Amino acid sequence: MKAVVYKGPFEVAVEDVEKPRIQHPNDVIVNVTSSAICGSDLHMYEGRTAAEPGIVFGHENLGIVEDVGDGVTSIKQGDRVVMPFNVACGFCKNCTAGKTAFCLTVNPGFAGGAYGYVAMGPWPGGQAEYVRVPYADFNCLKLPPGTEHESDFVLLADIFPTGYHGNELAGTSPGDSVAVYGGGPVGLMSAYCALLRGAKKVFVVDRIPERLQKAEQIGAIPINFAEADPVEQIKDQTDGEGTDKGIDAVGYQARARAAGEGREEPATVLNSLVQTVRATGALGIPGLYVPADPGGPDEQAKQGMLLVAIGKLFEKGLRMGTGQTNIKAYNRQLRDMIIEGRAKPSFVVSHEVPLDEAAQAYQKFDKRVEGYTKVVLHPGR
């Protein structure tokens, strides 16, 4: 079968790899119809992780069930399903507590597993014609048959629930003001979910025009950090107080405004949020931070150590929530909102291309050119 294979920094290729097969009675094999490229994939693509060549990428996967293991009871051949990026067993201590991003079964010695991601277990990704899904009764979310809402439903694998999770971590409530740092797919989805949860005013901080335009289109207030200090811009629009809640949708590859486009400052978003959010407010951190970054700008950053204004955070009595998204905590409800017309997350999708064009799509998405904000690959096209 064809699949997107990591070759080395800034290089992927669509190659022939072995088609997955049923290995356990609880497995299913899914014929992938849509698989999105995630900003997290770019960390590996850029050589900013310990990923070795040969990994098949892809953790945002939707398709049609082709083969079903003898132990699967609720999923049948022909079902249209979307899978959380979290591979989870459903029965360990963390899964039964609803913390499926931290499953203790699927990746021995580590809390959490995912498709097609470094250090996240032996699970090939779904930027391919087929993907194997373990513990299928637990991991597959059924969708209505057909092709309707395809580009909405594929976002249930990651960024729609992740945007919601950022707001859950921050505790966004009706009437809140929210500052979202980062206008990429997760940032736009965080802003969208804040509005769905009833926030009165949502700011999106970025410097890329297409992202800021999309933020404005959904009713958020764009803040261009290349023009002026985003903290001051937001305080000017909140009577000097700052926002009630803040969300970091950038993570460890953040760039400081004063540092110029070419230099990273990994803690800059965290520190900006500490300044942006009012005393006793809360921060949600769905943006990715890693324990080791080979390309970090200094020795501390390479070891996942960042200089964060913990004293100011303490002084202001801010709360902070972090961690990967427990997709299953949200995906059913968000699916039903899509079906009922209450949500249309596909506004963030800028490009839909055949699997054969994956290498070019990665290159353009990584460079943020030609309006690339979110890419969906279609192996079946």
Side-chain angles (χ1 to χ4, degrees):
M1 71 169 185
K2 301 288 186 182
V4 177
V5 179
Y6 176 60
K7 308 299 289 183
F10 300 99
E11 185 181 1
V12 295
V14 177
E15 296 183 345
D16 287 314
V17 302
E18 185 178 356
K19 180 182 175 181
R21 56 182 177 79
I22 298 291
Q23 297 183 33
H24 187 279
N26 290 333
D27 290 348
V28 300
I29 304 300
V30 172
N31 183 350
V32 180
T33 56
S34 293
S35 183
I37 301 176
C38 182
S40 297
D41 291 326
L42 296 183
H43 298 308
M44 295 188 292
Y45 174 75
E46 294 171 354
R48 297 296 294 270
T49 71
E52 297 287 341
I55 292 178
V56 174
F57 283 173
H59 58 266
E60 301 183 38
N61 307 314
L62 179 157
I64 307 299
V65 176
E66 180 179 272
D67 199 5
V68 181
D70 292 341
V72 177
T73 60
S74 64
I75 305 296
K76 66 181 185 301
Q77 188 179 42
D79 281 346
R80 185 187 186 202
V81 294
V82 62
M83 286 67 67
F85 79 83
N86 323 119
V87 182
C89 69
F91 55 77
C92 72
K93 180 188 291 187
N94 286 343
C95 283
T96 54
K99 309 297 184 183
T100 54
F102 303 92
C103 177
L104 300 172
T105 303
V106 298
N107 190 8
F110 191 88
Y115 302 95
Y117 212 86
V118 59
M120 298 299 282
W123 312 106
Q127 288 173 14
E129 293 179 296
Y130 298 90
V131 67
R132 173 189 166 219
V133 181
Y135 305 105
D137 287 307
F138 188 69
N139 286 310
C140 289
L141 177 67
K142 285 186 184 180
L143 302 170
T147 59
E148 190 177 10
H149 301 303
E150 182 86 0
S151 294
D152 294 301
F153 286 146
V154 72
L155 303 184
L156 291 169
D158 187 350
I159 66 165
F160 192 14
T162 294
Y164 201 89
H165 184 60
N167 283 276
E168 192 74 10
L169 291 171
T172 301
S173 298
D176 277 347
S177 56
V178 182
V180 178
Y181 275 73
V186 170
L188 289 170
M189 210 52 57
S190 297
Y192 186 58
C193 290
L195 293 165
L196 287 176
R197 290 168 68 110
K200 67 179 179 184
K201 188 178 287 189
V202 179
F203 301 93
V204 173
V205 180
D206 208 290
R207 62 175 175 81
I208 297 174
E210 292 88 352
R211 293 177 170 185
L212 295 171
Q213 288 164 11
K214 281 188 178 285
E216 191 169 26
Q217 287 167 9
I218 62 171
I221 301 167
I223 300 292
N224 190 333
F225 74 82
E227 295 178 350
D229 182 358
V231 176
E232 293 306 317
Q233 290 188 67
I234 292 170
K235 285 192 173 182
D236 286 346
Q237 298 185 61
T238 54
D239 298 321
E241 184 180 64
T243 58
D244 301 304
K245 307 292 165 58
I247 296 173
D248 175 358
V250 179
Y252 72 106
Q253 286 187 261
R255 299 180 189 276
R257 184 175 71 92
E261 218 175 289
R263 181 165 173 252
E264 292 181 8
E265 193 171 308
T268 190
V269 167
L270 293 171
N271 287 326
S272 293
L273 280 170
V274 170
Q275 297 296 328
T276 300
V277 176
R278 66 171 177 81
T280 74
L283 314 181
I285 318 294
L288 179 65
Y289 289 86
V290 292
D293 172 15
D298 54 49
E299 286 307 311
Q300 288 73 31
K302 289 177 181 178
Q303 299 176 54
M305 306 284 191
L306 306 182
L307 192 61
V308 178
I310 188 70
K312 181 59 70 173
L313 182 141
F314 180 90
E315 179 184 83
K316 294 178 73 173
L318 300 175
R319 294 176 291 109
M320 179 186 290
T322 69
Q324 294 206 28
T325 307
N326 307 299
I327 298 294
K328 283 183 62 68
Y330 315 111
N331 64 353
R332 291 176 185 274
Q333 300 95 312
L334 296 178
R335 173 200 62 187
D336 293 344
M337 291 181 72
I338 292 170
I339 292 170
E340 295 301 320
R342 299 290 300 278
K344 191 168 181 60
S346 61
F347 77 88
V348 78
V349 175
S350 60
H351 293 77
E352 300 185 52
V353 301
L355 186 70
D356 286 343
E357 297 180 18
Q360 302 96 301
Y362 264 93
Q363 184 180 52
K364 291 177 179 179
F365 185 31
D366 185 56
K367 292 181 178 178
R368 278 59 165 184
V369 298
E370 299 179 21
Y372 271 70
T373 55
K374 183 68 174 178
V375 186
V376 178
L377 302 174
H378 294 292
R381 291 186 185 176

